[in-house]
Amino acid sequence: MKQKKTMRLWQMLIILILSVVLLITMFLPAYHINPDTLQKGMEKAQAEENYYKDDAERDKDIKWYKKKFNKALKKEKKENETDNSTISGLKLMTKSLTDIRYNGKYDEDYAKSKNGMGEEIYNALNKKHTMTRVLLWMVYGVLLVVMFLTILGYCLKWNKYIPLIMDAVYGGLAAVSFAVLQFGTIRGVKSEVRTLTEKLIGYEFNNINTDKFTTGFVSAAFLVGMLVALAILVISVLSMFFGKQIQENSDEENVVSDSLDDWDRDWNSITPEKKADFQPGGKNILYSGDQKGVDPFSGGNDVTIPANNQVQNLIPPDPDSQLFIRKEPVRRAAAVGKVQCTKGTTSGAVGYTLPQDRKVVVGKSPRQANLVIVNNERISNVHCTIRYSAATNSYTVRDHSTNGTFVNGIRLPKESVMEYPAGTILSLADGKVEITLG
């Protein structure tokens, strides 16, 4: 029986929801370029300085800088017909540095000139901008592929480790990429950002810590992206170890694997009357002779065939019926074994007599097992199969389960035929179900 671990629906949905949230971050503000963010950066920068005698003097100075900055931004917006008060991840991905700054009005040569940003500042900013675009295209482009493969892996029942490892690796790499963008990109050009800002307001800042000053312009998009990517990583790793990920191919669809195809052949070859022997609530055949008495597993529904080669008159004569009992000798039936569920809950019969040419299938699937175990999720649809050998008065057991079949605490090798004497007790899965042989 082939088995594989597949993704569950809830695992796929959580990863997809996080992936969609990650896609949304491309529309969130990555940078805020406005007077309020200038104030935020200046307050951070001057928090540890003793330049001002009191907060009132500091606030007055910051208010003056904000006014100059706001005037410069309005002038640039009017001249270049562009608005950079909010720069989203999508804008960074789709526009060049000159398009963002000048809205296509000026080219790269102008940007490098003294009237523009200046060559040194432009080269530094453009290098970081190019790296940002590459990282963002990789993060969001690969994310679409990962989402597609995650859905495909669930629908096609791939081994769960294939999509989950892929999701975990992606989550880790995406988190690193966003961390670089959040904590490294704009800080990598901190002096250029300060110089460009001073050029806009036409005045140099006093006692400003550049490292803290530039953080005021950074918004939440990259930070949110990093946290969501980490969540994808954590959920993917946890999903490899938790949840009901086990799927047994033969259990879920049909019992036609190499190890169980003999059960189908046996079942299809016998008559409907004989099939009833193995159905819950049906009649069990008990042979007399060495096996005298009433079968304790049948609930009083047994038919006893005596050992004197004569058939009992089991059905009273009916004058209006054409059914008559044939009075002809029959061969003595071979000895039979017994299989009984002595611990746990079953649906229908708790046990069966077991001729040599039959076998008992133990499991939780009413369609595939004849000794059906209920109220225990650790029992497989087809957990194990049992045959009886009259010559040795022993039983052969083959385990097909996920969680195991045990004898005296030792787990049976999966898909291997093991022989045990009468009186052996099989413990299934977590030990809450026991099957007595004989």
Side-chain angles (χ1 to χ4, degrees):
M1 180 188 300
K2 294 182 180 180
Q3 298 183 354
K4 61 181 177 181
K5 299 179 180 180
T6 60
M7 288 184 69
R8 309 305 293 178
L9 178 61
W10 65 268
Q11 295 170 343
M12 181 199 69
L13 289 178
I14 290 177
I15 293 175
L16 287 183
I17 290 172
L18 290 173
S19 300
V20 171
V21 174
L22 194 57
L23 281 175
I24 293 174
T25 60
M26 74 164 62
F27 301 99
L28 298 179
Y31 300 112
H32 276 310
I33 312 297
N34 55 54
D36 291 332
T37 57
L38 176 69
Q39 177 181 346
K40 180 181 176 182
M42 293 181 68
E43 288 175 347
K44 284 184 178 181
Q46 296 184 5
E48 300 177 0
E49 301 292 338
N50 297 319
Y51 180 77
Y52 295 101
K53 296 179 181 180
D54 52 44
D55 291 343
E57 184 180 356
R58 181 201 64 185
D59 293 342
K60 181 180 179 181
D61 202 9
I62 291 177
K63 184 178 180 181
W64 184 88
Y65 281 119
K66 282 183 62 178
K67 183 178 180 181
K68 295 283 289 182
F69 193 57
N70 186 42
K71 183 178 180 181
L73 290 178
K74 287 183 177 179
K75 180 181 178 181
E76 186 176 77
K77 180 179 179 180
K78 182 178 181 181
E79 289 180 353
N80 300 329
E81 299 179 353
T82 186
D83 183 6
N84 290 324
S85 59
T86 297
I87 303 176
S88 66
L90 183 62
K91 191 173 184 178
L92 291 170
M93 293 170 61
T94 57
K95 291 183 176 295
S96 66
L97 180 60
T98 54
D99 286 339
I100 292 176
R101 179 69 190 276
Y102 304 116
N103 196 29
K105 187 174 182 179
Y106 299 108
D107 59 13
E108 184 178 322
D109 292 334
Y110 176 84
K112 291 181 179 180
S113 68
K114 293 181 179 180
N115 294 328
M117 290 181 275
E119 185 172 1
E120 183 178 351
I121 294 177
Y122 174 82
N123 289 336
L125 291 177
N126 192 53
K127 181 179 179 181
K128 290 294 182 180
H129 177 67
T130 301
M131 183 189 72
T132 299
R133 294 181 73 181
V134 171
L135 285 178
L136 290 178
W137 274 110
M138 289 178 60
V139 166
Y140 294 117
V142 174
L143 177 59
L144 296 176
V145 177
V146 168
M147 292 174 65
F148 172 75
L149 293 178
T150 299
I151 297 173
L152 188 65
Y154 172 78
C155 295
L156 298 183
K157 303 298 181 183
W158 290 352
N159 187 303
K160 67 172 184 175
Y161 292 114
I162 297 175
L164 289 178
I165 289 177
M166 174 186 63
D167 293 332
V169 171
Y170 170 80
L173 294 177
V176 171
S177 299
F178 281 121
V180 170
L181 295 172
Q182 176 71 20
F183 302 110
T185 302
I186 196 170
R187 290 166 180 79
V189 288
K190 53 193 175 184
S191 61
E192 289 80 4
V193 171
R194 173 174 174 156
T195 302
L196 192 59
T197 306
E198 289 176 347
K199 186 175 182 180
L200 278 173
I201 64 175
Y203 198 88
E204 293 184 358
F205 295 106
N206 294 317
N207 294 343
I208 297 296
N209 186 320
T210 303
D211 290 338
K212 295 182 179 180
F213 168 75
T214 55
T215 60
F217 297 109
V218 183
S219 191
F222 299 148
L223 182 61
V224 172
M226 182 183 70
L227 296 177
V228 176
L230 287 174
I232 293 176
L233 170 62
V234 172
I235 293 298
S236 299
V237 172
L238 291 179
S239 296
M240 297 181 195
F241 303 100
F242 295 99
K244 299 176 183 177
Q245 300 97 344
I246 304 300
Q247 173 178 330
E248 299 179 65
N249 291 341
S250 297
D251 288 354
E252 297 297 331
E253 298 298 333
N254 46 57
V255 191
V256 293
S257 66
D258 294 341
S259 61
L260 291 179
D261 55 1
D262 57 337
W263 162 249
D264 284 333
R265 291 193 296 268
D266 291 348
W267 187 253
N268 294 328
S269 64
I270 62 178
T271 63
E273 291 78 9
K274 289 185 178 180
K275 286 184 180 181
D277 298 344
F278 282 87
Q279 297 299 324
K283 293 184 177 182
N284 296 313
I285 304 299
L286 176 65
Y287 296 95
S288 62
D290 296 335
Q291 304 285 342
K292 292 182 179 180
V294 178
D295 186 354
F297 307 146
S298 65
N301 292 328
D302 294 273
V303 177
T304 302
I305 300 178
N308 59 3
N309 293 336
Q310 298 295 324
V311 178
Q312 289 181 331
N313 190 1
L314 301 177
I315 304 176
D318 184 354
D320 297 328
S321 174
Q322 297 181 359
L323 179 63
F324 297 95
I325 302 299
R326 293 181 300 170
K327 293 183 178 181
E328 58 183 35
V330 295
R331 292 184 299 173
R332 179 189 176 96
V336 294
K338 295 180 181 179
V339 176
Q340 181 183 15
C341 178
T342 52
K343 182 179 179 181
T345 307
T346 64
S347 174
V350 298
Y352 293 101
T353 53
L354 183 59
Q356 290 190 103
D357 61 342
R358 309 280 182 86
K359 70 178 176 181
V360 169
V361 180
V362 182
K364 69 180 180 182
S365 171
R367 184 173 62 86
Q368 298 163 253
N370 43 23
L371 183 52
V372 182
I373 309 299
V374 296
N375 301 330
N376 192 322
E377 292 298 324
R378 294 184 64 83
I379 301 298
S380 297
N381 286 344
V382 175
H383 200 94
C384 64
T385 51
I386 304 169
R387 288 185 180 275
Y388 174 69
S389 174
T392 58
N393 191 29
S394 62
Y395 297 79
T396 56
V397 182
R398 178 179 288 179
D399 174 65
H400 309 287
S401 68
T402 297
N403 297 310
T405 302
F406 301 82
V407 174
N408 296 326
I410 300 176
R411 183 168 181 169
L412 277 63
K414 193 169 184 178
E415 303 300 341
S416 297
V417 177
M418 306 296 293
E419 186 173 1
Y420 296 99
T424 299
I425 297 177
L426 305 178
S427 179
L428 310 187
D430 54 6
K432 294 182 180 180
V433 177
E434 290 183 353
I435 304 296
T436 300
L437 307 178

